[in-house]
Amino acid sequence: MGSKRTLAAVLILALIVFASVLVPAGEPAAAQAGGYLHTSGNRIVNSSGQTVAFSGVNWFGFETNNYVPHGLWTRNWEDMLDQIASLGYNSIRLPFSNEMLHVTAPVQGIDYRNPELAGMTPIQVMDKIIEGAGARGLKIILDNHRSDAGASAQANGLWYTSAYPESQWIADWQMLTRRYQGNATVVAMDLRNEPHDVACWGCGDPALDWRLAAEKAGNAILAINPNLLIVVEGNSAYGPGGITDTWHGAEGTWWGGNLLGAQTYPVRLNVANRLVYSPHDYPASVYPQSWFSAPNYPNNLPGVWDHFWGYLYNNNTAPILIGEFGTRYETTSDQQWLQAMRSYIQSKGLSWTFWSLNPNSGDTGGLLLDDWVTVHQAKQNILSTIQYPFIDEPGPPPPTSTPVTVVPPTSTPVTVIPPTSTPVTVVPPTSTPITVVPPTSTPVQGACSVNYVIQNDWGSGATVNVTIGNNRASTINGWTLTWTFPGNQQISHLWNGSYTQSGASVSVSNAAWNGTIGANGGTVSFGFNLAYSGTNAAPTSFSLNGTACQ
């Protein structure tokens, strides 16, 4: 097994890797690599040194027995990417399994809505998803979710199995790094989803020590592409010396959510300014952790988060990416949890990827409802308040706080180590699916309607989503929407269309894939970022193909 190397071999490998990525002192290897990101203290920054942050969604399926993102049995893949971008998300965490990377048969679980994917292998579909994401300004975080496809949980919580040993796990990461070398859409590698149970942190056993494994894989990736971010999740329980026994002093929390060990045993990478720590967190409906029944709930949650992982941000050690958090948002407790999480993220400007876009996550549901089209508006309303600009065109930086020294306190161990949200594999129906495309707003009288929504406004810029409704009895083939801004708003980036702007006058025309608006309530959406000074009032009149809209 790859973890049973001799000390001499490990030392030789480390020297080779280090030599291959050596850069001048004080100069990050990717400082001038356009499109890629690096870190500075607790911030993620772009090649110009501007602070940026991820605000994305998890779109799972590659890690299941379908070997492709779910939903492609009922929707077109580009349509789904359009929706992600139009809702204001700037990134996608894309789970995959090691097994999926080695499948050479054509994918299943897609239908006639995706003819361009027919006959492709799973990794070729991944290529297309990444290509399409990049075309829309979205960044990709690849997430090694499990070894064997469809397994509900990795045996013993480790990063390898007998079928896919540690050596194969590292080799697969090296293959993906080479495959997307120079593609700045893929900016981060989340090395393993939710290590837990016997996976320790700092115990020193190479077969069990997740921190040592993360260093091996991270350095192997950086030896090929030193520009990538290396995302390292926690484990589930940590105690003195890296013990995981909660009966003998270890503290437990969510799988992947325990980063207490990083205080004493930090992850050491051969390229500076590439490490991002990534906890996962869930509400009481997923598992009744002890803090949910505390008398000061939900006011105690920031202290819980600071204790297990937030201290790394507070101490200016490294950036935090909350890689998974999600809820069905049905109970009062869950609603309080998500609102508290929103406030915590907002106060620190943390990066995050919500679990999940998919509605078929058993514990949490998704951002989309069961028709795979309609947005769960209550969740979106919360998440839209903490979205950041698209990463290649950043607006004002997320807020930062003055670093303070926060040493994880010694407290009574918490002894719960439950699983988190396990995606439920949904087998595509055998009959022809029916496309359900509800309008995003109630059509009004007139030939067309426009819904102009400011989703996120940070005082000198904003993210805007525009939905055009066709109220006529005939289909619109090709569209151009025009309006005049009431102030000095200036569009900086637009997706799902092309635009021209002259002074306050704006004209937006369809992209190649969204020129048709169906009759009697059909809709199409596009979005953009804008900059302004003063006020940011919405336009009051629009014209579609020369006809005034309401």
Side-chain angles (χ1 to χ4, degrees):
M1 184 178 296
S3 61
K4 303 296 186 182
R5 296 178 178 142
T6 65
L7 177 60
V10 172
L11 290 174
I12 291 170
L13 178 62
L15 288 171
I16 292 171
V17 171
F18 180 74
S20 69
V21 298
L22 191 62
V23 295
E27 181 183 347
Q32 302 303 317
Y36 284 106
L37 309 173
H38 59 283
T39 70
S40 176
N42 61 12
R43 299 178 300 123
I44 298 174
V45 296
N46 64 13
S47 57
S48 301
Q50 297 171 293
T51 298
V52 297
F54 296 109
S55 50
V57 291
N58 286 267
W59 185 10
F60 68 77
F62 274 123
E63 82 286 10
T64 71
N65 290 322
N66 295 102
Y67 303 127
V68 290
H70 285 180
L72 300 185
W73 54 75
T74 190
R75 288 189 66 182
N76 176 266
W77 65 281
E78 289 198 284
D79 182 40
M80 295 188 74
L81 288 174
D82 287 343
Q83 187 174 30
I84 292 169
S86 70
L87 289 171
Y89 299 96
N90 67 15
S91 49
I92 301 172
R93 181 173 178 260
L94 205 58
F96 68 91
S97 69
N98 294 93
E99 179 180 333
M100 161 254 161
L101 300 177
H102 300 275
V103 173
T104 58
V107 295
Q108 304 298 315
I110 59 175
D111 78 342
Y112 64 90
R113 294 173 181 81
N114 296 281
E116 58 271 61
L117 304 183
M120 286 187 173
T121 64
I123 199 166
Q124 289 172 333
V125 175
M126 179 179 279
D127 293 342
K128 292 294 287 184
I129 297 293
I130 290 171
E131 177 187 354
R136 291 157 176 81
L138 300 166
K139 295 297 186 182
I140 293 290
I141 303 164
L142 291 179
D143 156 46
N144 179 229
H145 213 71
R146 57 175 63 108
S147 297
D148 305 281
S152 60
Q154 185 66 45
N156 297 321
L158 298 174
W159 52 96
Y160 61 88
T161 63
S162 58
Y164 298 94
E166 182 182 76
S167 57
Q168 185 64 61
W169 173 65
I170 293 174
D172 284 344
W173 271 125
Q174 292 171 315
M175 179 275 293
L176 286 171
T177 304
R178 292 188 184 97
R179 189 176 189 92
Y180 301 118
Q181 178 87 347
N183 184 340
T185 298
V186 180
V187 293
M189 305 304 210
D190 190 341
L191 299 179
R192 188 65 173 196
N193 187 68
E194 298 181 351
H196 58 277
D197 289 354
V198 300
C200 67
W201 188 296
C203 68
D205 183 342
L208 302 177
D209 195 329
W210 164 235
R211 176 250 201 168
L212 295 179
E215 291 174 349
K216 292 178 191 175
N219 286 326
I221 289 168
L222 293 173
I224 300 168
N225 185 353
N227 298 314
L228 292 168
L229 294 177
I230 302 300
V231 179
V232 180
E233 300 180 28
N235 63 340
S236 59
Y238 174 81
I243 64 170
T244 58
D245 185 354
T246 56
W247 295 102
H248 293 86
E251 293 186 68
T253 182
W254 302 105
W255 288 359
N258 195 328
L259 283 160
L260 288 173
Q263 173 82 3
T264 305
Y265 306 102
V267 171
R268 302 157 298 184
L269 298 176
N270 293 336
V271 182
N273 303 317
R274 298 297 181 270
L275 175 63
V276 176
Y277 286 114
S278 184
H280 292 182
D281 199 88
Y282 284 93
S285 62
V286 175
Y287 190 88
Q289 303 275 19
S290 61
W291 43 87
F292 296 125
S293 58
N296 60 339
Y297 177 81
N299 296 330
N300 62 333
L301 289 176
V304 173
W305 297 327
D306 277 343
H307 175 65
F308 283 111
W309 44 268
Y311 75 92
L312 293 163
Y313 174 89
N314 297 337
N315 290 348
N316 204 35
T317 300
I320 292 292
L321 162 65
I322 305 173
E324 288 185 20
F325 66 108
T327 168
R328 289 191 175 277
Y329 207 63
E330 294 173 347
T331 67
T332 298
S333 176
D334 274 29
Q335 292 164 3
Q336 291 172 327
W337 169 84
L338 185 57
Q339 291 160 9
M341 179 63 80
R342 183 264 305 274
S343 297
Y344 188 82
I345 290 171
Q346 197 168 49
S347 69
K348 301 177 185 295
L350 302 181
S351 289
W352 54 270
T353 50
F354 186 71
W355 187 273
S356 60
L357 178 71
N358 310 46
N360 59 323
S361 176
D363 291 333
T364 65
L367 183 65
L368 300 180
L369 300 182
D370 288 344
D371 62 6
W372 285 91
V373 175
T374 308
V375 174
H376 191 300
Q377 199 58 51
K379 295 181 186 180
Q380 176 64 14
N381 289 345
I382 291 283
L383 297 173
S384 66
T385 65
I386 49 174
Q387 289 175 330
Y388 305 113
F390 276 59
I391 285 173
D392 285 336
E393 296 187 19
T400 58
S401 56
T402 303
V404 295
T405 300
V406 180
V407 179
T410 56
S411 59
T412 304
V414 182
T415 59
V416 285
I417 313 174
T420 63
S421 176
T422 301
V424 178
T425 301
V426 176
V427 179
T430 56
S431 58
T432 302
I434 299 173
T435 302
V436 181
V437 188
T440 57
S441 59
T442 303
V444 297
Q445 296 299 316
C448 53
S449 62
V450 175
N451 189 20
Y452 182 101
V453 179
I454 300 173
Q455 295 182 312
N456 188 19
D457 194 315
W458 53 86
S460 60
T463 300
V464 177
N465 186 70
V466 179
T467 300
I468 306 170
N470 177 17
N471 302 329
R472 299 186 301 183
S474 58
T475 298
I476 296 174
N477 293 304
W479 54 265
T480 297
L481 185 72
T482 59
W483 72 86
T484 300
F485 279 125
N488 62 1
Q489 295 97 328
Q490 186 70 37
I491 295 176
S492 59
H493 173 73
L494 184 142
W495 51 94
N496 299 343
S498 59
Y499 78 98
T500 59
Q501 181 171 355
S502 177
S505 299
V506 179
S507 175
V508 179
S509 298
N510 60 272
W513 60 85
N514 65 351
T516 300
I517 311 178
N520 298 317
T523 62
V524 68
S525 295
F526 63 89
F528 55 87
N529 291 334
L530 59 76
Y532 71 92
S533 60
T535 59
N536 182 30
T540 56
S541 60
F542 299 86
S543 293
L544 182 66
N545 294 347
T547 300
C549 297
Q550 294 181 318

